[in-house]
Amino acid sequence: HRHSSLFEDFNWYLSESSPDWYQDEFVYSFSCCIVWAGSRLGWRWERKCDCTPDYNFEVNWLDPLPAKGSSEYQSYTEALQDMQSCMYRFPFFRGYHQPPTEEVFNRLRRQDSFL
């Protein structure tokens, strides 16, 4: 059994020495964080900026889907709806499970008025 306190406020950041790291005018890199939806554990990349809302990627789930009809499934679907509502309001990385290449990122940014 996992203790949720092990994963509270836990983020990893893409290293500047990574071949996938690139700098833009905001100088904020991508971070990776642990997410919970009910009892289901997962992780996702995100991009945080001071002047804009957070931009979240799709979740990479570590746990299987809870059994339909169970109380765990209900708490999972409620938490998932909250996550998805944020993704729908700011869908910059919707459909992405990892940071895009610099070229794709710049194309997406030109199409988006928030970033």
Side-chain angles (χ1 to χ4, degrees):
H1 192 288
R2 288 185 286 251
H3 296 282
S4 62
S5 62
L6 293 174
F7 301 106
E8 288 178 8
D9 299 321
F10 195 78
N11 285 321
W12 293 282
Y13 294 91
L14 192 61
S15 168
E16 289 184 30
S17 62
S18 168
D20 294 326
W21 189 89
Y22 44 87
Q23 184 173 356
D24 70 0
E25 63 195 68
F26 295 105
V27 194
Y28 292 101
S29 188
F30 299 102
S31 64
C32 184
C33 67
I34 299 295
V35 296
W36 289 92
S39 63
R40 195 173 188 197
L41 176 69
W43 64 274
R44 70 175 172 210
W45 288 98
E46 60 184 22
R47 186 172 176 93
K48 292 185 178 284
C49 297
D50 289 339
C51 59
T52 63
D54 293 350
Y55 289 87
N56 298 318
F57 289 77
E58 300 288 346
V59 175
N60 299 287
W61 294 108
L62 301 172
D63 290 332
L65 189 64
K68 288 187 177 185
S70 68
S71 61
E72 286 184 6
Y73 185 78
Q74 183 168 343
S75 64
Y76 160 73
T77 57
E78 290 169 2
L80 184 63
Q81 286 174 353
D82 288 342
M83 279 191 242
Q84 288 175 335
S85 70
C86 182
M87 175 73 75
Y88 292 134
R89 283 185 311 209
F90 306 106
F92 191 79
F93 293 119
R94 188 171 179 198
Y96 287 87
H97 287 266
Q98 63 186 25
T101 64
E102 184 175 10
E103 178 183 334
V104 171
F105 175 78
N106 288 331
R107 179 177 48 80
L108 291 170
R109 190 172 59 179
R110 284 191 300 272
Q111 296 170 357
D112 189 275
S113 61
F114 290 106
L115 191 61

